[in-house]
Amino acid sequence: MSEPIERRTFLKRAWQAGVALIAAAGAWTSWDILRSVPASGLGGVVKTVPEQEITEVPVYVRSAQAYLTRINGDIVGIWQKCPHLGCRVAWCESSREFECPCHGSTFNRAGEYRTGPAPRGMDRFTVVTGGEVVELDTGDVIEGAPRGTQTIDEPPAGPRCT
């Protein structure tokens, strides 16, 4: 028969085991918090719509906070954020332009500057085609074209929305 453990030795070992368990739980939790995970949604790659659904009329993709449109046959991803103060720029069907409701900047269908206080055209995202759907890399922001850039020459079609 073995000798009984002294009370002091038992409590010492119990405390050591408790501290070891707490340290293990802390390490586990820290690993879960600190490990990198692939980005999804804004800031990562966002799956959008099938390529054949994208026409010259901009299609809004809420999960990417962007518009997809065709410019000279290429698909372009335009961020909804106004380069002036960051307001959400809306597509106006009647004028066929992007119009910022906050300070009145307007942009053509390619997101290029037309009028207002914006310092440049709307920023863009990298577009990846070739799969089932078009993907936007919202982590890769391409600064908008400087004022005066006009790759398409489409005058406003009608009255403004704002």
Side-chain angles (χ1 to χ4, degrees):
M1 200 144 97
S2 63
E3 287 186 40
I5 297 178
E6 290 183 26
R7 179 173 185 241
R8 184 175 299 233
T9 304
F10 172 77
L11 290 175
K12 180 181 173 186
R13 289 181 184 164
W15 273 103
Q16 288 173 341
V19 169
L21 283 173
I22 290 172
W28 184 282
T29 303
S30 296
W31 171 251
D32 282 347
I33 292 171
L34 297 176
R35 70 185 166 101
S36 63
V37 293
S40 62
L42 192 64
V45 175
V46 178
K47 294 183 182 229
T48 63
V49 297
E51 191 172 337
Q52 58 271 19
E53 290 184 22
I54 301 170
T55 63
E56 290 188 352
V57 176
V59 175
Y60 184 65
V61 180
R62 184 178 183 149
S63 59
Q65 298 181 7
Y67 295 92
L68 288 172
T69 187
R70 286 194 187 267
I71 305 296
N72 300 326
D74 296 328
I75 298 175
V76 177
I78 303 171
W79 195 3
Q80 73 176 6
K81 183 178 150 192
C82 181
H84 176 230
L85 292 177
C87 300
R88 181 186 181 275
V89 178
W91 171 252
C92 176
E93 192 59 45
S94 63
S95 69
R96 296 190 50 81
E97 289 187 322
F98 290 103
E99 298 178 1
C100 180
C102 299
H103 301 101
S105 292
T106 61
F107 308 89
N108 67 13
R109 191 172 51 83
E112 297 163 339
Y113 172 84
R114 285 265 174 113
T115 62
R120 64 180 185 277
M122 296 170 70
D123 297 334
R124 294 181 177 191
F125 293 129
T126 300
V127 176
V128 179
T129 58
E132 291 182 24
V133 295
V134 174
E135 296 179 350
L136 281 176
D137 184 356
T138 60
D140 183 21
V141 179
I142 302 164
E143 189 172 280
R147 286 183 174 200
T149 303
Q150 295 294 315
T151 57
I152 59 172
D153 188 24
E154 297 174 353
R160 293 182 60 178
C161 293
T162 55

